[in-house]
Amino acid sequence: MATTRPFSYNPLQSTITGTTNLGTICIGVSDLDYATSPGGLTWWMGPDEDNSYVVCKEVTAQNFPTPLGNIGNVQFWRSTNTDLAFKDLVSIISGTTQASASAASDWLLLNGYWTNYDAQAFINAASITNTTQKTAIDTLVNGLKADSIWTKMKAIYPFVGGTASTHKFNLKDPRDLIAAYRLTFSGGWTHNSNGITGNGTNSFAESYYFPITINTIGAYNRTAATNQTLLGATFTGVDNDGFQTNPIGLVLRGNSVSPGYIGTTFSAGIPAPAAITVSRTAADGATAIKVYRNGTQNSTGNNSEWQLLVTNGAYVPSMIIGARRQDDYDYDGFVIASNYYDYTTANIAFSFMGDTALTATEVTNLNTRIQAFQTTLNRQV
Amino acid sequence: MIEVGILTEEQKDLLAGQEFMVDVFFNPVQDINDNWFISVEEMDQCVNENFMWVKDLELIDYEPKLFIDTE
């Protein structure tokens, strides 16, 4: 049975129940009777998406050729579901050579096109076959794009599929490569339909994403994390007098008290359930770091030490999930110790890292998308 | 009390960086007494035929290594 969905041109970007807007492209996401013109729009079914990547663009003149005459308000393209075929298709659409499938998808979004590529590429990579999970991923991707959050993220780990082999993939770039920030799990994790759960003794997941450019991190933890780290990376050096400097880095950690750490808010531990988002919205200053819980700002933090780190262009160990990795350096810049601290026992059902700060509105919208994603998967708490 | 499986130095070297199931790697670490250990989850979940001996490791109580948090 073919997999299709309806599209329309929604010039006023009006909100229509059961649909999602991407600019002026309106995408049907519910079983509405589209023949009755929901929202007063004329709807057109898209191509079969089984084993295909599909692209859609509105036709503002509403004169695209159709079997019913030159009345179409959307246009479709389709390729087979390989990165090469998709890249080539977008190269033709854009009239420019696309360097990669991921770059092609970025071009489409930037230029107001819709595509199923990102959700489908992840679903294919992770071998997701469950219809509910596929729908949840597709809805999440469309929502993050509609909210202009998608391009601000470098890594999104939805932890869907129930195994390490499905949980390892980055929704933003689901290639099975370190360069794609694919996770490598070490130690005693528990993987199931609720996501990943640490053992508190030696479990962590390496992201290979170096936080020097990270401006947003976050996680959805279904259980509390006290004296534990959900994700983080820090380093210490040695000052000119031979004393170890305070750790500097980026950590989402319960009970953290250092101004150099981002997770300074939760002095009693990170509660659950919580979708925690930390974002740096200014270059420096006492309120540069904003910490949100479930979409509402919880506190601010000082960014001076983090800014110092960036200014110095220091090497920082890559971000890990489920613990905090800290590399210690001597004053010649050599690593003298690499340690892992604060292993978590929390059940983590979502995590993300981005190189661009989010506004308060974007954090609220992100929280809404994360909560809806968890609800669809029947694991929202 | 959390229990962990104690390793010899040689066993630690054999396990470090090795997969015990698809896409999950052993992570031997040291406890407060500098004993190398792996978790019971790694022992239970191991399906790598080269390392099935981990299921017979002696269990000890987990005593985490303390560190001076310089925050």
Side-chain angles (χ1 to χ4, degrees), chain A residues 164-165 168 184-189 199 201-202 204 244 246-247 253 256-258 261 341, chain B residues 2 4 20 22-29 37-39 41-42 45 62 67 69-71:
Chain A
S165 297
K168 69 180 181 180
T184 297
F185 290 100
S186 291
W189 285 101
N199 64 0
T201 58
N202 73 341
F204 71 93
Q244 188 179 51
N246 282 337
R253 177 195 186 207
S256 186
V257 294
S258 165
Y261 287 3
Y341 300 124
Chain B
I2 297 173
V4 294
F20 63 86
V22 177
D23 289 320
V24 192
F25 294 79
F26 284 114
N27 181 30
V29 296
F37 71 87
I38 58 172
S39 65
E41 290 84 3
E42 290 159 281
Q45 296 171 13
Y62 170 58
F67 64 92
D69 197 340
T70 54
E71 297 166 43

Side-chain angles (χ1 to χ4, degrees), chain A residues 224-290:
Chain A
T226 302
N227 284 324
Q228 299 170 355
T229 294
L230 293 181
L231 66 163
T234 57
F235 84 99
T236 64
V238 176
D239 64 23
N240 292 334
D241 297 322
F243 293 104
Q244 188 179 51
T245 60
N246 282 337
I248 300 174
L250 192 65
V251 173
L252 181 50
R253 177 195 186 207
N255 290 29
S256 186
V257 294
S258 165
Y261 287 3
I262 261 181
T264 58
T265 307
F266 304 102
S267 58
I270 299 173
I276 307 295
T277 300
V278 180
S279 205
R280 294 189 301 129
T281 57
D284 201 359
T287 60
I289 296 172
K290 298 188 188 311

Side-chain angles (χ1 to χ4, degrees), chain A residues 161-337:
Chain A
T163 70
S165 297
T166 61
H167 290 163
K168 69 180 181 180
F169 286 106
N170 172 11
L171 180 59
K172 282 285 300 188
D173 186 352
R175 294 175 298 162
D176 196 358
L177 299 171
I178 287 174
Y181 309 132
R182 179 221 58 212
L183 296 176
T184 297
F185 290 100
S186 291
W189 285 101
T190 298
H191 297 268
N192 57 31
S193 60
N194 285 329
I196 61 172
T197 304
N199 64 0
T201 58
N202 73 341
S203 54
F204 71 93
E206 179 77 67
S207 74
Y208 306 101
Y209 184 21
F210 293 88
I212 199 77
T213 62
I214 290 181
N215 279 304
T216 297
I217 60 172
Y220 178 79
N221 57 304
R222 300 180 73 251
T223 57
T226 302
N227 284 324
Q228 299 170 355
T229 294
L230 293 181
L231 66 163
T234 57
F235 84 99
T236 64
V238 176
D239 64 23
N240 292 334
D241 297 322
F243 293 104
Q244 188 179 51
T245 60
N246 282 337
I248 300 174
L250 192 65
V251 173
L252 181 50
R253 177 195 186 207
N255 290 29
S256 186
V257 294
S258 165
Y261 287 3
I262 261 181
T264 58
T265 307
F266 304 102
S267 58
I270 299 173
I276 307 295
T277 300
V278 180
S279 205
R280 294 189 301 129
T281 57
D284 201 359
T287 60
I289 296 172
K290 298 188 188 311
V291 184
Y292 302 81
R293 177 173 184 241
N294 295 331
T296 301
Q297 188 177 327
N298 191 295
S299 72
T300 58
N302 195 321
N303 195 35
S304 58
E305 292 193 43
W306 176 250
Q307 187 60 26
L308 176 65
L309 172 73
V310 174
T311 302
N312 289 345
Y315 170 82
V316 184
S318 74
M319 293 292 286
I320 63 173
I321 296 174
R324 170 170 63 94
R325 177 180 168 188
Q326 179 171 306
D327 284 356
D328 298 335
Y329 294 82
D330 63 18
Y331 46 71
D332 291 324
F334 293 103
V335 176
I336 54 177

Side-chain angles (χ1 to χ4, degrees), chain A residues 39-53:
Chain A
L41 305 178
T42 301
W43 293 82
W44 301 88
M45 290 306 291
D48 182 8
E49 296 181 29
D50 287 343
N51 304 313
S52 300
Y53 292 135

